[in-house]
């Protein structure tokens, strides 16, 4: 299907791809058009397309080998998109796919989060955090999150039960007996996560070190499976000390899961959180702002 893109969101993966930080996970040839998710309008359909017609408003996250949404048009397969929520405009809809699917896969598939379970969502005021808090509240979980003073009101309005100002307190000194941690930060924060878990607890990270499972899921060869097994060995060992588990998630596109997210949005249970909207010609400024690491919610480019 050919899509006329009306808006795209910035994700840290964009500048990480540009800088070659994800070379071991994803291989791209440069020059390359960046951009991983979008909202737009169907302008042409191929013969095999069943569910969409010219004029439909859709949104999605592209396949990892066919990125390039910082553009006016993109060709995508039917299975990576969903109809846009009827109550959102293009800018709002573009804020959802990548962070929405990441949160969905982390909470439902990896953590199998249940009502009344306790979860820590790191960096609650970021693009992923603002979505994940809302999704965890739909599940009925008790949510703790970390923010600076600039993010306190935002995450409280999204339903977070415990808000920890990371500039004043270390989460590991105030939280205990947690069922799950959704780590979006990696490094020391990831290593400290295990100590707040109850036995049987789970840590899923999207910013830590990949494991052999990550390599298998991405279809990478034996050498990388072995390499990732080695680099994640310390984290697995730490997890074991606390009778917990560690896994890394590299999110994947899914039109089906996005359709479920659409239902939550149309029911008013999830709201887009947008920090700033840039013009298409200011894409570089939008990337710079994302790279500052200070965004509250999502950064959007409007075509
Ligand atoms: N593996 C995957 O599939 C996948 C998918 C999506 C995202 N990711 C990764 O996940 C990470 C988060 O993505 P994102 O889109 O949410 O990023 P983002 O929107 O750029 O995150 C920015 C937010 O992080 C907060 N923050 C920074 N340091 C913090 C700390 N030490 N403690 C608590 N909050 C902190 C900032 O708040 P303050 O300014 O107030 O500090 C800001 O609101 C990125 O590294 C991204 O690449 C991976």
């Amino acid at each position: 299907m050919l899509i006329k893109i009306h808006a795209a969101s910035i994700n840290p993966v964009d500048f990480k791809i540009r800088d070659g930080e994800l070379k071991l996970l994803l291989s791209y040839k440069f020059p390359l058009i960046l951009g991983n998710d979008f909202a737009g309008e169907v302008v042409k359909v191929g013969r095999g397309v069943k569910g969409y017609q010219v004029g439909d408003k859709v949104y999605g996250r592209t396949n990892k080998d066919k990125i390039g949404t910082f553009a006016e048009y993109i060709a995508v397969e039917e299975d990576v998109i969903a109809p846009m929520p009827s109550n959102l405009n293009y800018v709002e809809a573009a804020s959802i796919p990548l962070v929405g699917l990441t949160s969905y896969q982390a909470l439902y598939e990896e953590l199998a989060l249940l009502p009344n379970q306790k979860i820590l969502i790191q960096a609650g005021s970021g693009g992923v955090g603002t979505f994940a808090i809302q999704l965890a509240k739909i599940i009925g979980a008790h949510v703790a999150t970390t923010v600076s003073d600039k993010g306190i009101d935002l995450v409280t309005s999204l339903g977070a039960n415990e808000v920890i100002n990371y500039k004043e307190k270390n989460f590991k000194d105030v939280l205990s007996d947690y069922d799950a941690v959704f780590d979006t930060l990696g490094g020391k924060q990831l290593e400290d996560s295990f100590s707040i878990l109850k036995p049987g607890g789970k840590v899923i990270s999207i910013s830590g070190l990949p494991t052999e499972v990550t390599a298998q899921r991405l279809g990478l060869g034996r050498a990388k499976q072995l390499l990732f097994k080695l680099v994640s060995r310390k984290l697995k060992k730490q997890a074991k000390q606390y009778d917990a588990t560690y896994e890394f998630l590299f999110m994947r596109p899914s039109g089906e899961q996005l359709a479920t997210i659409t239902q939550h949005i149309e029911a008013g249970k999830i709201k887009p959180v947008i920090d700033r909207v840039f013009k298409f010609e200011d894409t570089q400024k939008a990337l710079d702002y994302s790279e500052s690491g200070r965004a509250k919610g999502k950064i959007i480019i409007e075509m």
Side-chain angles (χ1 to χ4, degrees), residues 12-235:
V13 72
D14 296 312
F15 59 78
K16 289 183 184 178
I17 291 172
R18 179 202 65 198
D19 293 349
E21 271 183 47
L22 301 174
K23 257 192 264 181
L24 285 174
L25 293 175
L26 307 168
S27 48
Y28 291 112
K29 282 205 180 108
F30 288 74
L32 176 73
I33 300 175
L34 297 172
N36 286 264
D37 58 2
F38 66 91
E41 187 188 341
V42 178
V43 290
K44 261 186 194 168
V45 292
R47 252 178 294 155
V49 173
K50 302 258 184 319
Y52 297 92
Q53 292 174 348
V54 170
D56 286 351
K57 292 179 172 185
V58 297
Y59 69 152
R61 190 266 192 261
T62 66
N63 273 319
K64 63 178 176 12
D65 49 354
K66 290 183 182 170
I67 67 166
T69 62
F70 301 162
E72 289 160 301
Y73 292 90
I74 193 162
V76 294
E77 277 109 20
E78 190 174 3
D79 61 354
V80 302
I81 60 164
M84 238 172 72
S86 54
N87 54 340
L88 298 191
N89 60 33
Y90 287 119
V91 164
E92 292 166 331
S95 74
I96 303 290
L98 194 140
V99 296
L101 291 167
T102 304
S103 305
Y104 189 95
Q105 288 160 20
L107 301 193
Y108 283 95
E109 296 183 343
E110 303 291 335
L111 299 174
L113 190 67
L114 297 171
N116 299 319
Q117 282 193 328
K118 297 203 288 183
I119 183 171
L120 166 65
I121 297 173
Q122 289 281 20
S125 58
V128 175
T130 47
F131 193 98
I133 291 171
Q134 299 184 76
L135 196 60
K137 291 315 297 175
I138 290 175
I139 294 171
H142 176 92
V143 178
T145 192
T146 53
V147 289
S148 72
D149 43 354
K150 294 188 189 76
I152 295 174
D153 290 347
L154 173 61
V155 298
T156 306
S157 75
L158 298 173
N161 303 93
E162 285 181 60
V163 180
I164 300 154
N165 184 341
Y166 73 87
K167 300 215 162 149
E168 288 173 359
K169 282 183 196 156
N170 188 326
F171 67 91
K172 77 174 167 57
D173 299 330
V174 274
L175 303 178
S176 60
D177 274 338
Y178 268 63
D179 297 281
V181 175
F182 182 16
D183 169 64
T184 61
L185 295 168
K188 180 85 172 74
Q189 285 92 340
L190 169 57
E191 290 185 15
D192 284 346
S193 296
F194 301 105
S195 69
I196 70 159
L197 291 175
K198 59 169 72 153
K202 297 175 189 169
V203 174
I204 186 73
S205 177
I206 54 172
S207 286
L209 294 166
T211 70
E212 68 270 30
V213 173
T214 321
Q216 284 159 10
R217 287 176 179 170
L218 289 172
L220 305 174
R222 294 284 275 297
K224 281 193 183 156
Q225 289 180 30
L226 188 63
L227 176 69
F228 292 176
K229 188 174 178 172
L230 286 175
V231 296
S232 60
R233 209 167 44 178
K234 188 176 159 206
L235 287 166

Side-chain angles (χ1 to χ4, degrees), residues 251-278:
M251 63 81 60
R252 61 180 198 285
S254 166
E256 209 180 316
Q257 292 178 351
L258 201 51
T260 306
I261 290 170
T262 299
Q263 288 173 11
H264 291 315
I265 294 171
E266 288 181 343
K269 292 180 183 160
I270 292 181
K271 293 191 169 45
V273 180
I274 294 169
D275 180 333
R276 283 176 73 176
V277 182
F278 290 83

